Amino acid sequence: MAGIEKLSDKAIQAAIKLVAAAGKAKTIGDGGGLVLEVQPSGAGWWRLRYTFDSKPNRLSFGTYPEVTLAAARQRRREALALIASGTDPSDKRKADKDAKARKVEAARLTDAGLPLPGTFEYVAREWLSTVHEAKVSAGHAERTRIRLEQDAFPWIGKRPIAEVEAPELLQCLRRIEARGAIETAHRVKDACGQVFRYGIATGDCTRNPAADLRDALRPVQSRHHAAITDPKQVGKLMRDISEYRGQPVTRAALLLSALLLLRPGELRHIEWAWLDIEGATLTVPGATMKRTKADKADGPPHVVPLASQAVKLFKELHPLTGHSRYAFPALTSSQRCMSENTVRSGLRRMGYGNDDMTAHGFRATARTMIAERLHIAPEVIEAQLAHAVADSLGRAYNRTQYLDQRRTMMQAWADYLDRLRDGAEVIAFPVAEAQLQGSI
């Protein structure tokens, strides 16, 4: 090629000496855009000056003499070949550098046992930390993470999320079904579906294969918490609790499970500071209730009117646990509330198995019998059970209304339980109906 390879090592050395003596940088050219920028320090930088898409640019080839004249010319030939093929050599170098960095990062992540970007596990963990944990409670998020780690990541975690198809995901879920965990299989499918939807938003994949598995899994057989709803059996249960010979704190927890209509987790977390004994009211903070994360943080507390029997129980309990933050502290430490298994174990000790009665079943017992035996309006019962309704305005309304009706209901329910315990005739007990219905 004409005008190319004008330099020689001898000419370069001479130029270096002249520049050093003059103390002023000088550029010497080899042709074809290749130049050597000689500095007074004796260093020389190889540059390729070129034009791509009518825009001038330049590319560094390193320093002389580390990069020899022959090596610089070879790099020029490679760059000019790229230009001739329609590729900007600067873009090519940047792409090669990025690819190398990705390879190094992939090796680092692999050595550390971490997922690679773009894999299902990588996107899933990003979804967990940026979306899921912000929307749900810490316990909910932890359960989702454990399900994915145990039942999804071992099979599809290392796969590029964009390559996971419905049959592969189904095979993963079939393994969960095979061990009889049907509900878990559905929960893992739902979590995977949310991961894929997040991946679509971030550009890591283009579709959600979990949506194709809508009818592919065995249906979940609904199973309600075991609860006693026959009045005679409820009477026997209340007698058994009254005669309970275990820990007195456990006995109080069993009785209050029947009287307060709280969820087991809410009951065992009751703090003495929440109680207004004189006002016969228990105020459960929103953060303790079964709600969304946003409602836990900003939602109103749940007010529980206390029947006289409940007030009496708390007064009897205070000398035993009043030194603790919790009304029902753990046996081993007053700094923690009682175990979630305490009430269940108390029921077992009295001979009530999981298929007979559960801690959560007290709510079902109350919900059924208050409606059927005391003839109280469902709206009042649902408000006391703290069941959410369809819209935010409805939730606020239900939590702030019916307090007088609920107070009357709670006393009527406690009195009815006393009647059953004492063996009174089992009849409908509509005494509170007119009072409760009047202002609804």
Side-chain angles (χ1 to χ4, degrees), residues 252-270:
L254 286 161
L255 288 170
L256 287 168
S257 293
L259 292 172
L260 300 186
L261 280 62
L262 290 173
R263 297 177 179 88
E266 296 159 2
L267 178 97
R268 65 192 184 91
H269 279 94
I270 290 176

Side-chain angles (χ1 to χ4, degrees), residues 300-301 303 383 393-404 406:
V303 178
L393 291 179
R395 288 198 298 270
Y397 183 74
N398 268 1
R399 289 173 187 165
T400 57
Q401 298 299 308
Y402 310 131
L403 185 58
D404 290 340
R406 288 192 284 126

